[in-house]
Amino acid sequence: MERNPKAAKPILEALKGRYSCRNFTGAPVDDAVLGDLIDTGLMAATGGNLQPYSILIVRNPTTKAELRRLGGGQAFIEQADVLLVFALDWSRYQVYTQQKHAPFQANHQFLHLLIGIEDILCAAQTIETGAYLSGLGACYVGGVLETGSQIARLLHFPQGAYPIVMLALGHPAPGSDHKPTKLPRDLMVFQERYRPISEAEIRRAYDAKYASVDRHPLPLDGAARDRVLEQLLHNLSLTYPESQAQSYLEEIRQSGAYNEAQRRYGVHYGVETMRRRGHETLTGMREMGCDPLKMERDF
Ligand SMILES: Cc1cc2nc3c(=O)[nH]c(=O)nc-3n(C[C@H](O)[C@H](O)[C@H](O)COP(=O)(O)O)c2cc1C
């Protein structure tokens, strides 16, 4: 294939239409197509050419059902024909460095964790892009981190390997091409240096991004309502002084609804929830012989 801007233009235009697909027809993904996608992913950039990851291809319905349960329960996980589990994997290097009498602590180093995750996302996104161009649908699943040690057992991982992200792949069902609004380019992309951005501009941009989902009515049921309010107050209190948190909660109570920012960081990705999930992830990683803070703790 020719490689020049003219040849790339239609491909880039097509890629601007990519979206996360959460509804699949159930038709099988062709083995040769999947093989090509994986081979393309393995050619992605990787820090130091280390390639510290493995990709697990899962098609077995029982295993997929289990991965759905362990990955947050979303229905599309089981519906997808193929699940790709991307794991950070130091196990090969552990063996190889011992064979070569070389030092090795990458499984216990924070920077290696970050670089390994960068590597995985380079490969995963190459596959996601290829899948989209091949007419397939795909959606990442991030909820494998806190259940990682259970997933590791399910898929027979060796010590030194831990799941980072999953990609659900399949043929998209008609009407699955929902494209959420994205932030404007000039709020995220800067020429040469960062530019000052006013608070008003930030507010306008996020209000536009979340315009259609910015009001979440409190549950009508008293007990459910109390639970949400309690969760919001607790999470607000972890950010603001108590009196301010109380007054923000009162605003919510008065209006009978919370906004999208409050839903994201007060309910869905609540501060306390993410703290617990982060703790579970670190515990799971340690169980699998990857303690990413071990070498830095005593520095
Ligand atoms: C690391 C990562 C984890 C994700 N996890 C989930 C997930 O568990 N469930 C889900 O429905 N979407 C998940 N997504 C997809 C995002 O929700 C989606 O990319 C975002 O809403 C933007 O929509 P778009 O991909 O259609 O542009 C994930 C995306 C990434 C990059």
Side-chain angles (χ1 to χ4, degrees), residues 18-22 71-72 74 76-77 121 125 128 138-145 164-166 176-182 209 264 268-269 277:
R18 74 145 290 284
Y19 61 94
S20 292
C21 174
R22 300 178 181 85
Q74 302 160 96
F76 73 82
I77 299 174
L121 264 302
Q125 188 51 41
E128 204 242 32
C139 189
Y140 286 106
V141 178
V144 296
L145 286 166
I164 297 297
V165 77
M166 188 155 76
S176 59
D177 58 339
H178 164 72
K179 291 189 198 67
T181 312
K182 300 279 169 91
K209 175 170 175 166
R264 287 190 172 250
H268 188 64
Y269 299 114
R277 288 174 61 182

Side-chain angles (χ1 to χ4, degrees), residues 48-52 89-98 104:
N49 200 16
L50 288 182
Q51 298 181 281
D89 189 355
W90 297 114
S91 68
R92 289 185 294 263
Y93 263 111
Q94 258 174 334
V95 172
Y96 177 62
T97 49
Q98 281 174 21
F104 186 77

Side-chain angles (χ1 to χ4, degrees), residues 124-239:
Q125 188 51 41
T126 301
I127 293 173
E128 204 242 32
T129 302
Y132 180 73
L133 292 176
S134 308
L136 297 172
C139 189
Y140 286 106
V141 178
V144 296
L145 286 166
E146 65 266 36
T147 53
S149 59
Q150 294 172 69
I151 293 175
R153 276 195 293 280
L154 176 74
L155 303 179
H156 298 204
F157 282 18
Q159 281 283 298
Y162 196 82
I164 297 297
V165 77
M166 188 155 76
L167 189 66
L169 272 181
H171 287 276
S176 59
D177 58 339
H178 164 72
K179 291 189 198 67
T181 312
K182 300 279 169 91
L183 290 172
R185 175 189 171 133
D186 65 356
L187 195 73
M188 294 182 66
V189 182
F190 308 102
Q191 298 290 344
E192 308 296 344
R193 59 173 70 117
Y194 213 98
R195 73 175 170 86
I197 302 173
S198 72
E199 291 193 12
E201 188 180 349
I202 292 173
R203 183 172 186 139
R204 260 198 314 279
Y206 280 99
D207 279 351
K209 175 170 175 166
Y210 296 130
S212 61
V213 289
D214 209 17
R215 191 182 149 81
H216 302 276
L218 287 167
L220 292 174
D221 170 69
R225 184 188 174 92
D226 287 350
R227 263 199 308 280
V228 172
L229 287 170
E230 196 184 320
Q231 193 183 1
L232 281 162
L233 179 62
H234 179 65
N235 286 322
L236 283 166
S237 306
L238 291 170
T239 304

Side-chain angles (χ1 to χ4, degrees), residues 1-14 16:
M1 181 203 145
E2 270 187 82
R3 289 193 303 124
N4 57 50
K6 193 164 167 243
K9 185 78 179 155
I11 300 170
L12 296 180
E13 284 309 313
K16 288 178 195 164

